[in-house]
Amino acid sequence: NAGVMQNPRHLVRRRGQEARLRCSPMKGHSHVYWYRQLPEEGLKFMVYLQKENIIDESGMPKERFSAEFPKEGPSILRIQQVVRGDSAAYFCASSPGGPGWGDEQYFGPGTRLTVT
Amino acid sequence: SQELEQSPQSLIVQEGKNLTINCTSSKTLYGLYWYKQKYGEGLIFLMMLQKGGEEKSHEKITAKLDEKKQQSSLHITASQPSHAGIYLCGAEYSGAGSYQLTFGKGTKLSVIP
């Protein structure tokens, strides 16, 4: 059973370009979470999705960031018009259950975004 | 102030020594997760604790949850170089919608052979 997969592992974008980060959850997991780890800071929750639904996006910046988890295919975190401050490691996690289940979240290896 | 404080921030120990990492929450905990992160890599799930007083062990790593103090400790016995990395605690807070994990800043562990 493959773990959570993220691609690309490293992404370099120039200021103003778009970044698309992909996450394939573990088989059988229908809950996906995105986190961001800024340099010298802890992981911060961004958004929680189930298939075709955004459940909680309270951690997402109000502008330029969006996430989706379509019926088919991976979850996508999209950052439009990237700025240098977006440079970070973006981690995706998945779990079989959702709120209140206490299921552990399994993390992917992350995508390291560098904005030049 | 930080909701979840980890201490120490970094730790250097001689191989074979025991060590403890602490994680203290300023809010009521629903669950507490421990992860290990190797530099530049993803997180590896270690253990999850939910009940006050709960203690779990895996190989040489033991984690405990003190519900009254809203604190968890991670103890490594007879440390080895393979234990080196960044240890993160993640809190799941009780209350509606409070399921997303809040992480501490991590404890960087180095083990000297």
Side-chain angles (χ1 to χ4, degrees):
Chain A
N1 186 10
V4 177
M5 300 181 69
Q6 289 187 249
N7 67 79
R9 294 291 305 274
H10 299 275
L11 183 62
V12 179
R13 284 285 177 266
R14 283 199 288 269
R15 277 183 298 170
Q17 290 185 319
E18 178 181 286
R20 280 180 162 251
L21 288 63
R22 293 175 187 76
C23 169
S24 296
M26 283 182 73
K27 191 176 180 182
H29 289 192
S30 58
H31 301 259
V32 165
Y33 313 80
W34 284 93
Y35 294 83
R36 178 166 67 173
Q37 187 174 41
L38 290 166
E40 305 302 321
E41 290 191 23
L43 277 172
K44 302 275 188 204
F45 167 79
M46 297 181 76
V47 62
Y48 161 40
L49 309 104
Q50 292 182 37
K51 286 283 186 182
E52 300 184 279
N53 284 306
I54 296 174
I55 306 301
D56 184 342
E57 55 182 350
S58 58
M60 287 272 272
K62 295 282 185 283
E63 296 174 350
R64 303 186 296 107
F65 284 72
S66 62
E68 62 177 18
F69 189 14
K71 191 176 178 182
E72 301 289 338
S75 174
I76 307 278
L77 179 69
R78 184 177 172 213
I79 311 172
Q80 293 179 291
Q81 299 176 325
V82 296
V83 300
R84 287 224 173 96
D86 296 332
S87 296
Y90 293 83
F91 290 94
C92 165
S94 72
S95 67
W101 283 58
D103 283 327
E104 60 262 33
Q105 295 180 18
Y106 292 86
F107 280 76
T111 293
R112 273 149 190 87
L113 172 66
T114 302
V115 179
T116 62
Chain B
S1 62
Q2 192 81 359
E3 287 176 326
L4 206 60
E5 294 276 356
Q6 278 189 245
S7 62
Q9 286 185 348
S10 64
L11 194 53
I12 303 172
V13 299
Q14 203 77 36
E15 184 177 357
K17 296 291 186 187
N18 303 337
L19 63 106
T20 300
I21 298 168
N22 292 304
C23 178
T24 304
S25 173
S26 60
K27 291 163 52 176
T28 302
L29 288 165
Y30 176 84
L32 195 288
Y33 300 69
W34 283 100
Y35 289 87
K36 180 185 173 185
Q37 183 180 23
K38 288 203 168 179
Y39 182 74
E41 297 184 14
L43 276 67
I44 300 167
F45 172 77
L46 296 175
M47 274 169 275
M48 178 184 71
L49 305 163
Q50 275 195 294
K51 301 170 191 171
E54 188 172 16
E55 180 175 320
K56 288 187 178 177
S57 293
H58 177 67
E59 296 181 345
K60 293 184 178 178
I61 301 177
T62 301
K64 297 179 189 179
L65 180 61
D66 183 333
E67 196 174 45
K68 284 184 182 176
K69 290 184 181 176
Q70 299 300 318
Q71 187 178 65
S72 178
S73 60
L74 186 84
H75 185 77
I76 299 177
T77 305
S79 58
Q80 300 168 350
S82 61
H83 288 127
I86 300 169
Y87 288 81
L88 294 168
C89 62
E92 189 173 10
Y93 290 114
S94 57
S98 301
Y99 43 76
Q100 65 264 28
L101 295 184
T102 299
F103 285 90
K105 289 190 176 181
T107 295
K108 185 178 176 183
L109 172 64
S110 303
V111 180
I112 302 170

Coordinates of all heavy atoms in Angstrom, one line a residue, chain B residues 15-87:
Chain B
E15 N 25.5 8.8 22.1 CA 24.9 7.6 21.8 C 24.8 6.7 23.0 O 25.7 6.6 23.8 CB 25.7 6.8 20.7 CG 25.0 5.5 20.3 CD 25.8 4.8 19.1 OE1 26.8 5.4 18.7 OE2 25.4 3.7 18.7
G16 N 23.6 6.1 23.2 CA 23.4 5.3 24.4 C 22.7 6.0 25.6 O 22.2 5.3 26.5
K17 N 22.7 7.3 25.5 CA 22.0 8.0 26.6 C 20.5 8.1 26.4 O 20.0 8.0 25.3 CB 22.6 9.5 26.7 CG 24.1 9.6 27.0 CD 24.3 9.1 28.4 CE 25.8 9.4 28.8 NZ 26.1 8.8 30.1
N18 N 19.8 8.3 27.5 CA 18.4 8.5 27.5 C 18.1 10.0 27.3 O 18.9 10.8 27.7 CB 17.7 8.0 28.7 CG 18.0 6.5 29.0 OD1 18.4 5.8 28.1 ND2 17.9 6.1 30.3
L19 N 16.9 10.3 26.8 CA 16.5 11.7 26.7 C 15.0 11.8 26.7 O 14.3 10.8 26.4 CB 17.1 12.3 25.3 CG 16.5 11.6 24.1 CD1 15.5 12.5 23.4 CD2 17.6 11.3 23.1
T20 N 14.6 13.0 27.0 CA 13.1 13.3 27.1 C 12.8 14.6 26.4 O 13.5 15.6 26.6 CB 12.6 13.4 28.5 OG1 12.9 12.1 29.2 CG2 11.1 13.7 28.6
I21 N 11.8 14.6 25.6 CA 11.3 15.8 24.9 C 9.9 16.1 25.4 O 9.1 15.1 25.6 CB 11.2 15.6 23.4 CG1 12.6 15.3 22.8 CG2 10.6 16.8 22.7 CD1 12.6 14.8 21.4
N22 N 9.6 17.3 25.7 CA 8.3 17.7 26.3 C 7.5 18.5 25.3 O 8.0 19.3 24.5 CB 8.4 18.5 27.6 CG 9.0 17.6 28.7 OD1 8.5 16.5 29.0 ND2 10.2 18.0 29.2
C23 N 6.2 18.4 25.4 CA 5.2 19.2 24.6 C 4.1 19.6 25.5 O 3.4 18.8 26.1 CB 4.7 18.2 23.5 SG 3.5 19.0 22.4
T24 N 3.9 20.9 25.6 CA 2.9 21.5 26.6 C 1.9 22.3 25.8 O 2.3 23.2 25.0 CB 3.5 22.3 27.7 OG1 4.5 21.5 28.3 CG2 2.5 22.8 28.7
S25 N 0.6 22.0 26.1 CA -0.5 22.8 25.4 C -1.1 23.8 26.3 O -1.2 23.6 27.5 CB -1.5 21.8 24.9 OG -2.6 22.5 24.4
S26 N -1.5 24.9 25.7 CA -2.2 26.0 26.5 C -3.7 25.8 26.5 O -4.4 26.5 27.1 CB -1.8 27.4 26.0 OG -2.2 27.5 24.7
K27 N -4.1 24.8 25.7 CA -5.6 24.5 25.6 C -5.8 23.0 25.9 O -4.9 22.2 25.8 CB -6.0 24.9 24.2 CG -6.0 26.3 23.9 CD -6.1 26.6 22.4 CE -7.2 25.9 21.6 NZ -7.3 26.3 20.2
T28 N -7.1 22.7 26.1 CA -7.5 21.3 26.3 C -7.2 20.5 25.1 O -7.6 20.8 24.0 CB -9.0 21.3 26.7 OG1 -9.3 22.1 27.8 CG2 -9.4 19.8 27.0
L29 N -6.6 19.3 25.4 CA -6.2 18.4 24.3 C -7.3 17.4 24.0 O -7.8 16.8 25.0 CB -4.9 17.7 24.6 CG -3.6 18.5 24.6 CD1 -2.5 17.8 25.3 CD2 -3.2 18.8 23.1
Y30 N -7.6 17.1 22.8 CA -8.4 15.9 22.4 C -7.5 14.8 22.1 O -7.8 13.6 22.4 CB -9.3 16.3 21.2 CG -10.1 15.1 20.7 CD1 -11.3 14.8 21.3 CD2 -9.7 14.3 19.7 CE1 -12.1 13.8 20.9 CE2 -10.4 13.3 19.2 CZ -11.6 13.0 19.8 OH -12.4 11.9 19.4
G31 N -6.4 15.1 21.4 CA -5.4 14.0 21.1 C -4.1 14.7 20.9 O -4.0 15.9 20.6
L32 N -3.0 13.9 21.0 CA -1.7 14.4 20.9 C -0.9 13.4 20.0 O -0.9 12.2 20.3 CB -1.0 14.6 22.3 CG 0.3 15.4 22.4 CD1 1.5 14.7 21.9 CD2 0.1 16.8 21.9
Y33 N -0.3 13.9 19.0 CA 0.4 13.1 18.0 C 1.9 13.4 18.1 O 2.3 14.6 18.2 CB -0.1 13.3 16.6 CG -1.5 13.1 16.4 CD1 -2.5 13.9 16.9 CD2 -2.0 12.0 15.5 CE1 -3.9 13.7 16.7 CE2 -3.3 11.8 15.3 CZ -4.3 12.6 15.9 OH -5.6 12.4 15.7
W34 N 2.7 12.4 17.9 CA 4.2 12.6 17.8 C 4.6 12.1 16.4 O 4.2 11.0 16.0 CB 4.9 11.8 18.9 CG 4.9 12.4 20.2 CD1 4.1 12.1 21.3 CD2 5.7 13.5 20.7 NE1 4.3 12.9 22.4 CE2 5.3 13.8 22.0 CE3 6.7 14.3 20.1 CZ2 5.9 14.8 22.8 CZ3 7.3 15.3 20.8 CH2 6.9 15.6 22.2
Y35 N 5.4 13.0 15.8 CA 6.0 12.7 14.5 C 7.5 12.9 14.5 O 8.0 13.7 15.3 CB 5.4 13.6 13.4 CG 3.9 13.3 13.1 CD1 2.9 13.9 13.8 CD2 3.6 12.5 12.0 CE1 1.6 13.7 13.5 CE2 2.3 12.3 11.7 CZ 1.3 12.9 12.4 OH 0.0 12.6 12.1
K36 N 8.2 12.2 13.6 CA 9.6 12.5 13.4 C 9.8 12.9 12.0 O 9.2 12.4 11.1 CB 10.4 11.2 13.7 CG 11.9 11.3 13.5 CD 12.6 10.0 13.6 CE 14.0 10.1 13.3 NZ 14.7 8.8 13.3
Q37 N 10.6 13.9 11.8 CA 10.9 14.5 10.5 C 12.4 14.5 10.3 O 13.2 15.1 11.1 CB 10.3 15.9 10.4 CG 10.5 16.5 9.0 CD 10.0 17.9 8.9 OE1 9.8 18.6 9.9 NE2 9.6 18.3 7.7
K38 N 12.9 13.9 9.3 CA 14.3 14.0 8.9 C 14.4 15.2 8.1 O 13.5 15.6 7.3 CB 14.8 12.8 8.2 CG 14.9 11.5 9.1 CD 15.8 10.5 8.5 CE 16.1 9.5 9.5 NZ 17.0 8.4 9.0
Y39 N 15.6 15.9 8.2 CA 15.8 17.1 7.6 C 15.5 17.0 6.1 O 16.0 16.2 5.4 CB 17.2 17.6 7.7 CG 17.5 19.0 7.1 CD1 17.0 20.1 7.7 CD2 18.2 19.1 5.9 CE1 17.1 21.4 7.1 CE2 18.3 20.3 5.3 CZ 17.8 21.5 5.9 OH 18.0 22.7 5.4
G40 N 14.6 17.9 5.6 CA 14.2 18.0 4.2 C 13.3 16.9 3.8 O 13.1 16.7 2.6
E41 N 12.7 16.1 4.7 CA 11.8 15.0 4.3 C 10.5 15.2 5.0 O 10.2 16.2 5.7 CB 12.5 13.7 4.7 CG 13.8 13.4 4.0 CD 14.3 12.0 4.3 OE1 13.6 11.2 4.9 OE2 15.5 11.8 4.0
G42 N 9.6 14.2 4.7 CA 8.3 14.3 5.3 C 8.2 13.8 6.7 O 9.3 13.5 7.3
L43 N 7.0 13.8 7.3 CA 6.8 13.4 8.6 C 6.5 11.9 8.7 O 5.8 11.3 7.9 CB 5.7 14.1 9.2 CG 5.9 15.5 9.8 CD1 6.3 16.5 8.7 CD2 4.7 16.0 10.6
I44 N 7.1 11.3 9.7 CA 6.8 9.8 10.0 C 6.0 9.8 11.3 O 6.5 10.3 12.3 CB 8.1 9.0 10.2 CG1 9.0 9.1 8.9 CG2 7.8 7.6 10.5 CD1 10.4 8.7 9.0
F45 N 4.9 9.2 11.2 CA 4.0 9.0 12.4 C 4.6 8.1 13.4 O 5.1 7.0 13.1 CB 2.6 8.5 11.9 CG 1.7 8.1 13.1 CD1 1.1 9.1 13.8 CD2 1.5 6.8 13.4 CE1 0.2 8.8 14.8 CE2 0.7 6.5 14.5 CZ 0.0 7.5 15.2
L46 N 4.7 8.5 14.6 CA 5.3 7.7 15.7 C 4.1 7.1 16.6 O 4.0 5.9 16.7 CB 6.2 8.5 16.6 CG 7.5 9.0 15.9 CD1 8.3 9.9 16.8 CD2 8.3 7.8 15.4
M47 N 3.4 8.0 17.2 CA 2.4 7.6 18.2 C 1.3 8.6 18.3 O 1.5 9.8 18.1 CB 3.0 7.3 19.6 CG 3.6 5.9 19.7 SD 4.6 5.7 21.2 CE 6.1 6.3 20.6
M48 N 0.1 8.1 18.7 CA -1.0 9.0 19.0 C -1.5 8.7 20.4 O -1.7 7.5 20.8 CB -2.1 8.8 18.0 CG -3.3 9.7 18.3 SD -4.6 9.4 17.1 CE -5.2 7.7 17.7
L49 N -1.8 9.7 21.2 CA -2.3 9.5 22.6 C -3.6 10.3 22.7 O -3.7 11.4 22.2 CB -1.2 10.1 23.6 CG 0.2 9.5 23.5 CD1 1.1 10.4 24.2 CD2 0.2 8.1 24.1
Q50 N -4.5 9.6 23.4 CA -5.8 10.3 23.5 C -6.3 10.4 24.9 O -7.0 11.3 25.3 CB -6.9 9.6 22.7 CG -6.9 10.1 21.2 CD -8.2 9.6 20.5 OE1 -8.4 8.4 20.3 NE2 -9.0 10.6 20.1
K51 N -6.1 9.4 25.7 CA -6.6 9.4 27.0 C -5.6 9.8 28.1 O -4.4 9.5 28.0 CB -7.1 8.0 27.4 CG -8.1 7.4 26.5 CD -8.3 5.9 26.7 CE -9.2 5.3 25.6 NZ -9.3 3.9 25.7
G52 N -6.1 10.6 29.1 CA -5.2 11.0 30.1 C -4.5 9.8 30.8 O -5.1 8.8 31.1
G53 N -3.2 10.0 31.0 CA -2.5 8.9 31.6 C -2.0 7.8 30.6 O -1.3 6.9 31.0
E54 N -2.4 8.0 29.3 CA -2.1 6.9 28.4 C -0.6 6.9 28.1 O 0.1 8.0 28.1 CB -2.8 7.2 27.0 CG -2.7 6.1 26.0 CD -3.6 6.3 24.8 OE1 -4.1 7.4 24.6 OE2 -3.8 5.3 24.1
E55 N -0.1 5.7 27.9 CA 1.4 5.6 27.6 C 1.5 4.6 26.5 O 0.9 3.5 26.6 CB 2.1 5.1 28.9 CG 3.6 4.9 28.7 CD 4.3 4.6 30.0 OE1 4.0 5.2 31.0 OE2 5.2 3.7 29.9
K56 N 2.3 4.9 25.5 CA 2.5 4.0 24.4 C 4.0 3.8 24.1 O 4.8 4.8 24.3 CB 1.8 4.4 23.1 CG 0.3 4.3 23.2 CD -0.3 4.6 21.8 CE -1.8 4.4 21.9 NZ -2.5 4.8 20.6
S57 N 4.4 2.7 23.7 CA 5.8 2.4 23.4 C 6.0 1.8 22.1 O 5.1 1.0 21.6 CB 6.4 1.5 24.5 OG 6.5 2.2 25.7
H58 N 7.0 2.1 21.4 CA 7.4 1.5 20.1 C 8.9 1.4 20.1 O 9.6 2.4 20.0 CB 6.9 2.3 18.9 CG 7.3 1.7 17.6 ND1 6.8 0.5 17.2 CD2 8.1 2.1 16.7 CE1 7.3 0.2 16.0 NE2 8.1 1.2 15.7
E59 N 9.4 0.2 20.1 CA 10.9 0.0 20.2 C 11.4 0.7 21.4 O 11.0 0.5 22.5 CB 11.5 0.3 18.9 CG 11.0 -0.6 17.7 CD 11.6 -0.3 16.4 OE1 12.2 0.7 16.2 OE2 11.4 -1.2 15.5
K60 N 12.3 1.7 21.2 CA 12.9 2.4 22.3 C 12.3 3.7 22.6 O 12.8 4.5 23.4 CB 14.4 2.5 22.1 CG 15.1 1.2 22.1 CD 16.6 1.4 21.9 CE 17.3 0.0 22.0 NZ 18.8 0.1 21.8
I61 N 11.1 4.0 22.0 CA 10.5 5.3 22.2 C 9.2 5.1 23.0 O 8.3 4.3 22.6 CB 10.2 5.9 20.9 CG1 11.5 6.1 20.1 CG2 9.5 7.3 21.1 CD1 11.3 6.7 18.7
T62 N 9.0 5.9 24.0 CA 7.8 5.8 24.9 C 7.2 7.2 25.0 O 7.9 8.2 25.2 CB 8.2 5.4 26.3 OG1 8.7 4.1 26.2 CG2 6.9 5.3 27.2
A63 N 5.9 7.3 24.8 CA 5.3 8.6 24.9 C 4.1 8.5 26.0 O 3.5 7.5 26.0 CB 4.7 9.1 23.6
K64 N 4.0 9.6 26.7 CA 3.0 9.6 27.8 C 2.2 10.9 27.6 O 2.7 11.9 27.2 CB 3.6 9.6 29.2 CG 4.4 8.4 29.5 CD 5.0 8.6 30.9 CE 6.0 7.5 31.2 NZ 6.6 7.7 32.6
L65 N 0.9 10.8 28.1 CA 0.0 12.0 28.0 C -0.5 12.3 29.5 O -1.1 11.4 30.1 CB -1.2 11.8 27.1 CG -2.1 12.9 27.0 CD1 -1.5 14.2 26.4 CD2 -3.3 12.5 26.1
D66 N -0.1 13.5 29.9 CA -0.6 13.9 31.2 C -1.8 14.9 31.0 O -1.5 16.0 30.7 CB 0.5 14.6 32.0 CG 0.1 15.0 33.4 OD1 -1.1 15.3 33.6 OD2 1.0 15.1 34.3
E67 N -3.0 14.4 31.1 CA -4.1 15.2 30.8 C -4.3 16.4 31.7 O -4.7 17.5 31.2 CB -5.4 14.3 30.8 CG -6.6 14.9 30.1 CD -7.8 14.0 30.1 OE1 -8.1 13.4 31.1 OE2 -8.4 13.8 29.0
K68 N -4.0 16.2 32.9 CA -4.2 17.4 33.9 C -3.3 18.5 33.5 O -3.6 19.7 33.6 CB -3.9 16.9 35.3 CG -5.1 16.1 35.9 CD -4.8 15.7 37.4 CE -5.9 14.9 37.9 NZ -5.6 14.4 39.3
K69 N -2.0 18.2 33.2 CA -1.1 19.2 32.8 C -1.1 19.6 31.4 O -0.4 20.5 30.9 CB 0.3 18.7 33.2 CG 0.6 18.6 34.6 CD 2.1 18.1 34.8 CE 2.4 18.0 36.3 NZ 3.8 17.5 36.5
Q70 N -2.0 18.9 30.6 CA -2.0 19.1 29.1 C -0.6 19.0 28.6 O -0.2 19.9 27.8 CB -2.6 20.5 28.8 CG -4.1 20.7 29.3 CD -5.0 19.7 28.7 OE1 -5.0 19.4 27.5 NE2 -5.9 19.1 29.6
Q71 N 0.1 18.0 28.9 CA 1.4 17.8 28.5 C 1.7 16.4 28.1 O 1.1 15.5 28.7 CB 2.3 18.2 29.7 CG 3.8 18.2 29.5 CD 4.6 18.6 30.7 OE1 4.6 17.9 31.7 NE2 5.2 19.8 30.7
S72 N 2.6 16.3 27.1 CA 3.1 15.0 26.7 C 4.6 14.9 26.7 O 5.2 16.0 26.5 CB 2.5 14.6 25.3 OG 3.0 13.4 24.9
S73 N 5.1 13.8 27.0 CA 6.6 13.6 27.0 C 6.9 12.5 26.1 O 6.2 11.5 26.0 CB 7.1 13.4 28.4 OG 6.6 12.2 29.0
L74 N 8.0 12.6 25.4 CA 8.5 11.5 24.5 C 9.9 11.2 25.1 O 10.8 12.0 25.2 CB 8.7 12.0 23.1 CG 9.1 11.0 22.1 CD1 7.8 10.2 21.6 CD2 9.8 11.6 20.9
H75 N 10.0 9.9 25.4 CA 11.3 9.4 26.0 C 12.0 8.4 25.1 O 11.3 7.5 24.6 CB 10.9 8.8 27.4 CG 12.2 8.4 28.2 ND1 13.0 9.3 28.8 CD2 12.7 7.2 28.4 CE1 13.9 8.7 29.4 NE2 13.8 7.4 29.1
I76 N 13.2 8.6 24.9 CA 14.0 7.7 24.1 C 15.1 7.0 25.0 O 15.8 7.8 25.6 CB 14.7 8.4 22.9 CG1 13.6 8.9 21.9 CG2 15.5 7.3 22.1 CD1 14.2 9.7 20.7
T77 N 15.1 5.7 25.0 CA 16.0 5.0 25.8 C 17.2 4.5 25.0 O 17.0 4.1 23.8 CB 15.3 3.8 26.4 OG1 14.1 4.2 27.1 CG2 16.2 3.0 27.4
A78 N 18.4 4.7 25.5 CA 19.6 4.2 24.8 C 19.6 4.7 23.4 O 19.6 3.9 22.4 CB 19.7 2.7 24.9
S79 N 19.7 6.0 23.2 CA 19.6 6.6 21.9 C 20.7 6.1 20.9 O 21.8 5.7 21.3 CB 19.8 8.1 22.1 OG 21.0 8.4 22.7
Q80 N 20.3 6.1 19.7 CA 21.1 5.7 18.6 C 21.2 6.8 17.5 O 20.3 7.6 17.4 CB 20.6 4.4 18.0 CG 20.5 3.2 18.9 CD 19.7 2.1 18.3 OE1 19.1 2.2 17.3 NE2 19.7 1.0 19.0
P81 N 22.2 6.8 16.7 CA 22.3 7.8 15.6 C 21.0 7.8 14.7 O 20.6 8.8 14.2 CB 23.5 7.3 14.8 CG 24.4 6.7 15.8 CD 23.5 6.0 16.7
S82 N 20.3 6.6 14.6 CA 19.1 6.6 13.8 C 18.0 7.3 14.4 O 17.0 7.6 13.7 CB 18.7 5.1 13.6 OG 18.4 4.5 14.8
H83 N 18.1 7.7 15.6 CA 17.0 8.5 16.3 C 17.2 10.0 16.0 O 16.2 10.8 16.2 CB 17.1 8.3 17.8 CG 16.6 7.0 18.3 ND1 17.4 6.2 19.1 CD2 15.5 6.3 18.1 CE1 16.7 5.1 19.4 NE2 15.6 5.1 18.8
A84 N 18.3 10.4 15.4 CA 18.4 11.8 15.1 C 17.4 12.3 14.1 O 17.0 11.6 13.2 CB 19.8 12.0 14.5
G85 N 17.0 13.5 14.3 CA 15.9 14.1 13.5 C 15.2 15.2 14.2 O 15.6 15.6 15.3
I86 N 14.1 15.7 13.7 CA 13.3 16.7 14.3 C 12.0 16.0 14.8 O 11.3 15.4 14.0 CB 13.0 17.8 13.3 CG1 14.3 18.5 12.9 CG2 12.0 18.9 14.0 CD1 14.1 19.5 11.7
Y87 N 11.7 16.1 16.1 CA 10.5 15.5 16.6 C 9.5 16.6 16.8 O 9.7 17.7 17.4 CB 10.9 14.9 18.0 CG 11.7 13.6 17.8 CD1 13.0 13.7 17.6 CD2 11.0 12.4 17.7 CE1 13.8 12.5 17.3 CE2 11.8 11.2 17.5 CZ 13.1 11.3 17.3 OH 13.9 10.2 17.1

